[in-house]
Amino acid sequence: MKNFKFQKLLNERKLIAEILVEGYLVFENAQQFKNELIDVGNNPAKQLQITISGIEDFDLSCLQLIVAFLKQMEARHVSCKINWNIDKEKLKFLESVGLSEELLMNDSYV
């Protein structure tokens, strides 16, 4: 398994209010990433802050997990905001393949 870090931060009501994701968002880590997202989905605050930074590499499997998670949170009326702290090359790639809207790259809550 390649380097992958997922951290959950709780608010005063013991609900998950923020998550931090770092490392490799690749197929090898997809099952662990999915399990972490399911855990967040079981106990989210009404507003969820997601910070994705230090991404060494990513692939479609993990990007699909993020999109599915965001759709699930939207259906449950949980507002999400993602801070994409990744290099410009990776940001440009995500924009060029048309995922900027689905991945909340417009810097707003949904």
Side-chain angles (χ1 to χ4, degrees):
M1 185 174 302
K2 293 188 175 188
N3 183 30
F4 172 73
K5 182 178 177 186
F6 192 100
Q7 184 178 6
K8 296 169 254 189
L9 304 171
L10 305 178
N11 65 12
E12 64 281 346
R13 295 178 51 210
K14 305 289 187 216
L15 299 172
I16 300 169
E18 186 173 357
I19 59 176
L20 310 169
V21 181
E22 297 178 3
Y24 287 85
L25 291 179
V26 294
F27 181 74
E28 290 177 75
N29 297 329
Q31 187 62 50
Q32 180 185 355
F33 188 40
K34 177 182 175 184
N35 292 341
E36 295 285 6
L37 291 174
I38 288 171
D39 187 50
V40 172
N42 289 331
N43 196 30
K46 282 293 185 191
Q47 290 192 336
L48 183 61
Q49 178 76 37
I50 304 165
T51 300
I52 298 177
S53 64
I55 299 302
E56 300 294 329
D57 198 8
F58 59 84
D59 65 23
L60 187 57
S61 64
C62 289
L63 294 176
Q64 287 177 318
L65 287 172
I66 295 169
V67 170
F69 175 77
L70 293 171
K71 288 182 180 182
Q72 179 188 27
M73 292 298 95
E74 183 178 18
R76 295 181 62 198
H77 306 290
V78 173
S79 297
C80 294
K81 181 178 181 181
I82 301 181
N83 291 323
W84 288 94
N85 297 325
I86 60 177
D87 64 55
K88 289 181 183 180
E89 230 176 69
K90 288 178 178 76
L91 282 173
K92 186 172 179 129
F93 173 78
L94 293 173
E95 290 170 351
S96 69
V97 297
L99 287 173
S100 60
E101 188 69 31
E102 287 85 356
L103 295 173
L104 303 182
M105 297 177 80
N106 56 5
D107 201 31
S108 62
Y109 278 95
V110 170

